[in-house]
Amino acid sequence: MELTLNDLNLNLIYMLKSPKKIYFPQEIEKTDKRIYVKFEHGMVQDNLEWDHESLIINRKWKLNYDGYLNLPFKIMSKFDPSFYIIPGIVVNGNKFGKGNYPRPNLNEKHSFREDRCTIPSCGIVEDSEYCIGIFTTPAPKEELLSSIALYKLKGNLYFEISTPWEEKPVQYVSKFRYIRGLTKYFPINGTFQYSRQYFIYTKKLDSFIKGYYDVLRYSWKKLAKPPEIPRDWSDWMRKKVQLAVNVFYAKVGKAHGFITTVINPMIPLSPTFSGGFIGKSIEIAFALYRMYLLNGMKQLKEIAFNVTNFLTSRMLPNGLFFTDYNPALHQWYGYRIGRRKDLNTRMMSEVCHTLLRFYLLARERNEPVKRWLKFVRKFSDFMVKNQLPNGSFGKWWSKEGNIKEDLGTNGAYVIWVLAELYKITKKEKYKEAAMRAGQYYITQFIELDEYWGDTLDANAIDKEAGHAVLRAMLYLYEITNDDEFLKAALRAAHFVASWQFTYNVPFPTTSPLGRRKFKTFGGTIVSVENMHTDPYIMFAFDFLQLWQYTGDIYWKDRAIAGLEFVLQMVASEHDTQGYKEWFVGWQPEQFNHTMWAYYGLNTLFPNKFKPKGHYTGNMAWVIAVTMGTILDIAEKFPEFMIIHPRPIKFYNNFGYRISKILRDLLLRIIPT
């Protein structure tokens, strides 16, 4: 059945699939607003709703059958795309990066479960003139999950949403691990009825901007609920502070830091003090200092200064520095978890960006550490002097100052540092180097709409790559007032938004997240390699800035949705989420929203030990990112949130003391 939308011809293909046979229609009848399709075993009725943006199809199946059926919603087109995206799973074939994750191409049929997608079973294609996006309403329960496949066959392009889901040719269940593909069917015994809504969005493109941006906005309007957050975040912040000082902060000899990963009862799973990426000790320290200014607790200030001073004590003569310290080995690293002695641009920049902000705030309170400013300037001077010919700042450097690798977006974090430094020094060299780098990230990432290589535990297209560039563009707009950078920031923001859930994934009611009625709406998927949801909420501040600069409420709503998400799963005195009482404030790093897990027994036997609906990971970066973002928003956008002083509990009972002794002993003897 042919339909025309915005001059594009689309053909609806009707069928029913059993394990052994495909049933095609016996008769099709069309009116202006309905399509009636007669099958051997019943009928399908499509009610058509047209609006100026899309066609909405309300489909109802009425069948009489004995056996198993899968119900496809299938569309064929002669469209030949140059770019395609399945939000949360695939960006133009996932060509960039080096990991063993799905890399589908349109010449083969690959299908993916609805709950892997940030828009339910959404497929988007575009060329230089048109964009087509198709998605469905979210499944209300696990048994009704659908799937999406985009593929080309004999010169035609197909969109196929199947209910129940199928994943073929394989299922991606963990890093580097796949299992055999599977098609699910409804078991039918007699009369069967089912209804579902489908959206077909088409648009003629009128600029260089990607068409998928409009599909993101349209799906948000159709599916997203109005987000809501409380204004008072005082108790939420109290819990985070308690976790930082009771569980993560440690002193080993002269070394001070926040342990990268700590599990119950207080085992240092990653016994390293790290300044950036998954440790972010400097960011936690800065957050504690800001809380000290609110509540006057001098212990917080003392911890903040001790950690910061220690982790900025290993600068090399050339201006580079080690960010990670392993207490058991008494050794410094560029990235301890990766066992790298090379120095990472992102991690050094994260340290310097926060260090400069810490210095400025302490200076306002007449207690600056002048060495911190010199530290930042020396690093920045190295980056300006050694900026690569293409404008990048590279990804990995040797301690001698030689470039080792220039891939991905890690260098965008240097722009954050240079922009902040320019604001206080007014030295043009920092601004000029930042602008030159900005042009590199515009041409190499923003204009391609493919951002990759940012996280250090993967090498793939990922959300954090988009965020690194987004904030860099906002910084450049701030110091130049050039609309080119604001437009670039908006493009990067749409990429970040493509990783944010527009709906709530259904969970098995027996799973840990199902029992807790966990909501995925507003949360974000990590990458095409690491397919779990996490509380990486930094983007909310940037989205609010975009709302402030443009007046577009869309960005405010997405920011608030992200904040609503991070209110969940924060351990309290009444529910420590399976951990000891002193873990009040812990929030999982990983929420398994689909059949994928980072590690564990359930990745070896995923069909038996279902990974979906489980959570794990008590990591320092979660404290840093969530606390830092909330403090930033409370400071710049107080109309959304306030933070009042709350008493901070320092645990000292017998169980805590024994666990802390064990933790500190393990820090001294376990090197990994």
Side-chain angles (χ1 to χ4, degrees):
M1 177 60 63
E2 186 170 276
L3 302 170
T4 302
L5 288 82
N6 285 330
D7 301 324
L8 290 172
N9 293 324
L10 305 175
N11 287 278
L12 285 170
I13 298 175
Y14 294 91
M15 64 173 63
L16 305 172
K17 294 197 310 185
S18 76
K20 295 183 179 181
K21 183 178 179 180
I22 297 178
Y23 298 94
F24 291 100
Q26 296 176 327
E27 183 180 337
I28 300 178
E29 179 184 341
K30 183 179 183 298
T31 67
D32 287 344
K33 294 185 178 181
R34 287 182 178 84
I35 300 174
Y36 299 92
V37 184
K38 182 179 179 182
F39 285 91
E40 175 186 353
H41 299 286
M43 68 169 294
V44 171
Q45 178 178 315
D46 284 346
N47 295 321
L48 311 180
E49 297 179 20
W50 302 84
D51 64 28
H52 68 285
E53 293 181 299
S54 70
L55 169 63
I56 302 172
I57 298 180
N58 298 287
R59 176 166 292 185
K60 186 171 186 178
W61 289 265
K62 294 182 179 180
L63 305 173
N64 197 306
Y65 186 80
D66 289 317
Y68 296 87
L69 285 179
N70 181 281
L71 311 179
F73 175 85
K74 193 170 183 177
I75 291 178
M76 183 188 76
S77 171
K78 294 291 185 182
F79 194 81
D80 186 18
S82 57
F83 182 92
Y84 75 102
I85 180 172
I86 300 175
I89 306 172
V90 183
V91 180
N92 218 25
N94 295 343
K95 298 184 292 289
F96 292 99
K98 298 179 180 180
N100 183 19
Y101 44 82
R103 296 174 185 269
N105 68 77
L106 291 178
N107 294 318
E108 300 173 354
K109 183 179 177 181
H110 292 259
S111 49
F112 298 96
R113 293 164 52 125
E114 170 186 328
D115 55 6
R116 292 190 194 270
C117 309
T118 55
I119 304 169
S121 291
C122 178
I124 307 169
V125 297
E126 54 187 273
D127 62 11
S128 59
E129 293 186 85
Y130 291 94
C131 170
I132 306 172
I134 295 178
F135 59 95
T136 184
T137 45
K141 56 184 179 179
E142 179 83 359
E143 295 78 13
L144 297 177
L145 286 173
S146 61
S147 60
I148 177 67
L150 283 177
Y151 59 98
K152 293 166 70 175
L153 183 65
K154 296 181 180 180
N156 296 314
L157 175 71
Y158 292 89
F159 299 80
E160 188 171 332
I161 298 177
S162 298
T163 309
W165 60 268
E166 68 173 9
E167 282 207 319
K168 287 188 171 180
V170 292
Q171 299 179 75
Y172 181 48
V173 297
S174 183
K175 289 173 78 74
F176 318 117
R177 178 162 165 73
Y178 296 83
I179 62 173
R180 186 173 59 186
L182 179 66
T183 299
K184 304 283 281 187
Y185 298 89
F186 286 117
I188 300 174
N189 184 16
T191 302
F192 175 84
Q193 294 191 24
Y194 179 66
S195 299
R196 195 149 192 172
Q197 193 173 56
Y198 301 89
F199 301 85
I200 306 172
Y201 179 93
T202 64
K203 183 177 181 182
K204 184 175 176 60
L205 305 181
D206 53 10
S207 70
F208 70 95
I209 300 298
K210 288 291 185 186
Y212 82 83
Y213 303 169
D214 292 298
V215 180
L216 294 176
R217 288 172 170 268
Y218 176 74
S219 65
W220 187 265
K221 180 171 71 174
K222 291 297 183 181
L223 301 179
K225 64 179 183 62
E228 296 180 358
I229 58 171
R231 186 156 182 258
D232 191 340
W233 287 64
S234 307
D235 198 56
W236 183 96
M237 187 64 73
R238 171 191 67 83
K239 297 170 189 173
K240 294 281 184 172
V241 173
Q242 285 189 193
L243 181 68
V245 298
N246 285 300
V247 174
F248 280 89
Y249 172 66
K251 178 180 181 297
V252 181
K254 295 182 179 180
H256 297 259
F258 298 99
I259 305 163
T260 299
T261 310
V262 186
I263 61 173
N264 204 29
M266 212 187 294
I267 307 297
L269 191 62
S270 300
T272 295
F273 301 152
S274 178
F277 188 46
I278 59 174
K280 292 182 177 285
S281 283
I282 305 297
E283 292 177 44
I284 300 175
F286 182 45
L288 292 185
Y289 181 70
R290 297 164 85 179
M291 290 304 297
Y292 150 73
L293 296 178
L294 279 175
N295 63 25
M297 292 188 67
K298 292 184 178 180
Q299 299 101 312
L300 303 185
K301 172 186 171 182
E302 182 180 346
I303 291 171
F305 275 82
N306 285 338
V307 169
T308 303
N309 282 323
F310 176 72
L311 286 174
T312 57
S313 64
R314 286 292 290 178
M315 177 164 273
L316 301 168
N318 58 20
L320 300 177
F321 58 95
F322 295 101
T323 55
D324 289 11
Y325 179 75
N326 185 274
L329 298 175
H330 306 287
Q331 289 187 21
W332 290 85
Y333 291 82
Y335 178 45
R336 170 59 191 168
I337 288 180
R339 306 295 191 272
R340 295 198 68 158
K341 287 283 190 175
D342 296 328
L343 309 174
N344 178 255
T345 306
R346 169 179 174 169
M347 294 180 71
M348 290 186 289
S349 299
E350 287 175 322
V351 168
C352 286
H353 175 254
T354 306
L355 185 65
L356 185 55
R357 295 184 66 199
F358 196 166
Y359 166 80
L360 292 172
L361 186 59
R363 187 177 68 176
E364 289 178 10
R365 302 304 189 274
N366 295 315
E367 47 188 7
V369 180
K370 294 182 179 180
R371 181 181 67 82
W372 294 354
L373 179 59
K374 294 178 181 178
F375 189 97
V376 175
R377 293 187 68 162
K378 192 170 183 179
F379 167 76
S380 300
D381 288 342
F382 173 90
M383 286 295 168
V384 170
K385 181 180 178 181
N386 293 277
Q387 189 170 17
L388 302 181
N390 61 11
S392 169
F393 292 112
K395 182 172 186 176
W396 292 99
W397 296 82
S398 71
K399 64 180 181 180
E400 293 78 22
N402 300 315
I403 187 68
K404 299 293 290 289
E405 183 180 319
D406 177 28
L407 295 171
T409 56
N410 276 191
Y413 293 88
V414 179
I415 297 175
W416 302 15
V417 182
L418 297 181
E420 286 281 14
L421 193 55
Y422 169 74
K423 286 192 288 186
I424 65 171
T425 66
K426 301 303 179 185
K427 288 188 176 290
E428 288 296 318
K429 66 177 182 179
Y430 299 131
K431 180 180 178 181
E432 290 169 1
M435 291 175 64
R436 184 173 164 227
Q439 292 302 324
Y440 168 78
Y441 292 104
I442 288 172
T443 58
Q444 296 301 310
F445 296 92
I446 292 176
E447 290 181 357
L448 296 176
D449 260 278
E450 296 181 69
Y451 307 73
W452 60 283
D454 202 70
T455 61
L456 303 184
D457 60 338
N459 190 341
I461 291 176
D462 66 272
K463 165 192 64 194
E464 291 176 42
H467 177 256
V469 175
L470 162 60
R471 185 163 290 188
M473 294 302 117
L474 285 173
Y475 264 123
L476 287 168
Y477 178 65
E478 188 177 340
I479 64 173
T480 66
N481 203 32
D482 187 336
D483 284 345
E484 177 189 13
F485 295 118
L486 180 58
K487 291 176 182 177
L490 285 165
R491 293 194 64 175
H494 280 99
F495 176 82
V496 175
S498 74
W499 299 89
Q500 186 178 31
F501 275 102
T502 60
Y503 69 104
N504 288 315
V505 166
F507 289 97
T509 55
T510 56
S511 69
L513 291 177
R515 290 195 299 268
R516 293 177 178 276
K517 302 187 184 306
F518 178 76
K519 308 296 184 185
T520 55
F521 174 67
T524 54
I525 297 173
V526 177
S527 70
V528 300
E529 180 172 337
N530 294 348
M531 290 189 183
H532 65 82
T533 312
D534 70 2
Y536 193 88
I537 191 57
M538 292 178 74
F539 69 88
F541 180 76
D542 305 282
F543 282 8
L544 286 174
Q545 286 191 294
L546 288 174
W547 166 65
Q548 184 181 60
Y549 291 144
T550 66
D552 189 347
I553 198 171
Y554 173 74
W555 297 113
K556 184 191 79 168
D557 286 348
R558 280 199 176 267
I560 300 302
L563 295 169
E564 184 180 58
F565 175 82
V566 298
L567 283 168
Q568 301 177 98
M569 297 294 293
V570 178
S572 67
E573 286 81 1
H574 306 293
D575 179 10
T576 58
Q577 299 175 166
Y579 276 40
K580 295 292 185 182
E581 61 180 297
W582 45 86
F583 278 83
V584 164
W586 93 273
Q587 185 173 34
E589 186 230 10
Q590 299 170 25
F591 303 101
N592 297 340
H593 62 270
T594 188
M595 182 69 87
W596 192 95
Y598 201 99
Y599 56 82
L601 182 64
N602 51 18
T603 67
L604 298 177
F605 307 100
N607 289 325
K608 182 174 178 62
F609 303 102
K610 309 291 187 183
K612 180 177 177 179
H614 289 261
Y615 58 87
T616 189
N618 183 34
M619 304 193 73
W621 78 257
V622 175
I623 307 174
V625 163
T626 54
M627 285 180 67
T629 301
I630 299 311
L631 286 164
D632 286 346
I633 292 173
E635 180 181 300
K636 188 163 184 176
F637 301 96
E639 65 268 35
F640 294 112
M641 60 180 60
I642 55 174
I643 301 169
H644 296 297
R646 290 286 186 272
I648 305 301
K649 181 176 181 178
F650 286 81
Y651 285 88
N652 196 35
N653 58 38
F654 179 76
Y656 173 78
R657 292 198 305 271
I658 294 298
S659 297
K660 186 177 179 182
I661 290 170
L662 175 62
R663 182 202 70 180
D664 293 347
L665 175 63
L666 293 174
L667 279 175
R668 287 172 165 82
I669 63 176
I670 297 180
T672 185

